[in-house]
Amino acid sequence: MGHPHLTATIALPAVRGALKADAPLAPLVWFKTGGPAQWLFEPQDADDLSDFLAQIDPDMPVMALGLGSNLIVRDRGVPGVVVRLGKPFARVERQDETTLVCGAGASGILVSSTARDAGIAGLEFLRSIPGTVGGFVRMNGGAYGRETADILVECDIVLRSGEQVKLLNRDLAYTYRHSNLTDGAIVVSACFRGQPGEPAAIQAEMDRIAAAREESQPLRSKTGGSTFKNPDGHKAWQLVDEAGCRGLQLGGAQVSEKHTNFLLNTGDATSADIEALGEEVRRRVKEKSGIELEWEIQRVGVEK
């Protein structure tokens, strides 16, 4: 497996963080499947990342990895560099009465809890999204009627060239689960704004969201979060259910019985099983309803 011939021939610049060749990615993603990264880089800070990207071959692919919740890593692995923003990027600090500055590696749970302690309301929905700030900013992550576009003031990005830039909310041209950030551009921090609130009321809202999610979603399983985007005027789970796909299995992959917009690794699935099951669900939904479901989960790496 892996890319030994590639790994052996490329001289990469010195870094202050950790750089590993042929690094397993399966343990780092929720599905627990998939092949290795040609290189896995965990930078020490934004400058470390910036210097590294500026010095490597401009044609080398680069992608960021957050909590790995919304991701299928294909079985033959990911060529190029996977950048994982670890502890140095997981800080969340209160800037003023209504604003938090968040590292791109911070989880939704950490951001929403910090907001609660600071008496900042409006960020509770992040409690329910299994991801990091970098992923929220890139994907316009949202849940329970709110999305990142509602709270983002500005963010710091390292471009593929290594240049560091600050972008305002309007620069990202947000639409549903989408921004105009280019491939290889990596979010390193973001500033989120809410409104003043009572910590007890904020906690109550977080509890309500957590309970709703626990009741409706298969949280104790190896899954990838919502598989398909909700098409205009429709709920993806309902279309999947109506097409008779609840509990549908392919190899070790299964459509969740509890929430049909979730795919599960029942234990021995390959990434190919999971992706093929998703494609079969799309085919059946198209046949039944005429609606073409779009993947919400990112699929990365070498195709068969």
Side-chain angles (χ1 to χ4, degrees):
M1 294 301 288
H3 313 269
H5 58 293
L6 290 170
T7 303
T9 55
I10 297 172
L12 291 183
V15 296
R16 286 179 286 119
L19 184 61
K20 296 189 198 88
D22 215 25
L25 292 178
L28 305 181
V29 300
W30 277 37
F31 274 126
K32 302 293 176 233
T33 63
Q38 185 182 346
W39 297 96
L40 180 66
F41 178 34
E42 298 187 332
Q44 194 58 53
D45 51 35
D47 290 341
D48 193 22
L49 175 60
S50 183
D51 294 345
F52 177 82
L53 292 178
Q55 290 177 67
I56 61 174
D57 181 336
D59 293 331
M60 183 177 270
V62 170
M63 67 162 271
L65 174 66
L67 289 187
S69 56
N70 195 24
L71 195 64
I72 295 172
V73 172
R74 293 187 174 117
D75 298 304
R76 288 180 57 200
V78 180
V81 179
V82 173
V83 175
R84 190 160 181 251
L85 302 180
K87 276 218 174 69
F89 293 87
R91 286 192 284 271
V92 178
E93 284 158 11
R94 179 167 172 260
Q95 191 176 43
D96 60 36
E97 295 303 300
T98 55
T99 317
L100 296 179
V101 177
C102 312
S107 69
I109 288 180
L110 178 62
V111 175
S112 56
S113 310
T114 308
R116 174 201 61 212
D117 296 347
I120 299 172
L123 276 58
E124 297 89 350
F125 73 99
L126 294 176
R127 161 74 182 76
S128 71
I129 313 177
T132 57
V133 166
F136 302 155
V137 171
R138 173 174 283 281
M139 294 272 304
N140 191 15
Y144 300 98
R146 304 268 291 160
E147 57 185 15
T148 305
D150 300 328
I151 59 170
L152 181 77
V153 180
E154 60 185 25
C155 55
D156 293 319
I157 311 279
V158 178
L159 299 176
R160 176 60 188 81
S161 62
E163 186 190 351
Q164 298 187 42
V165 297
K166 196 178 280 291
L167 298 178
L168 301 177
N169 185 316
R170 63 169 180 266
D171 299 329
L172 293 161
Y174 275 137
T175 52
Y176 174 63
R177 301 290 173 270
H178 184 76
S179 73
N180 63 4
L181 280 180
T182 51
D183 286 350
I186 294 175
V187 180
V188 288
S189 78
C191 177
F192 291 150
R193 179 173 292 146
Q195 61 271 348
E198 283 300 318
I202 294 167
Q203 182 62 53
E205 175 64 4
M206 283 165 65
D207 290 345
R208 184 188 73 77
I209 286 171
R213 192 164 169 258
E214 179 76 46
E215 195 179 311
S216 67
Q217 298 177 13
L219 300 183
R220 312 260 170 257
S221 314
K222 295 177 191 162
T223 179
S226 293
T227 307
F228 304 110
K229 298 177 183 182
N230 289 323
D232 279 349
H234 296 275
K235 293 260 186 279
W237 74 264
Q238 207 165 359
L239 293 168
V240 173
D241 204 13
E242 286 165 2
C245 297
R246 186 179 291 265
L248 184 66
Q249 271 189 275
L250 195 159
Q254 183 180 17
V255 176
S256 168
E257 301 262 1
K258 186 170 184 180
H259 190 314
T260 50
N261 197 22
F262 284 66
L263 301 181
L264 309 178
N265 171 4
T266 60
D268 58 354
T270 61
S271 291
D273 290 344
I274 297 166
E275 192 168 1
L277 177 59
E279 290 299 343
E280 175 61 14
V281 168
R282 291 181 70 226
R283 190 190 68 73
R284 291 190 185 195
V285 167
K286 179 83 199 282
E287 201 171 87
K288 173 89 170 97
S289 66
I291 294 170
E292 190 99 40
L293 285 179
E294 271 184 64
W295 283 93
E296 183 167 322
I297 291 181
Q298 248 191 314
R299 285 122 33 249
V300 299
V302 181
E303 295 254 26
K304 301 177 196 36

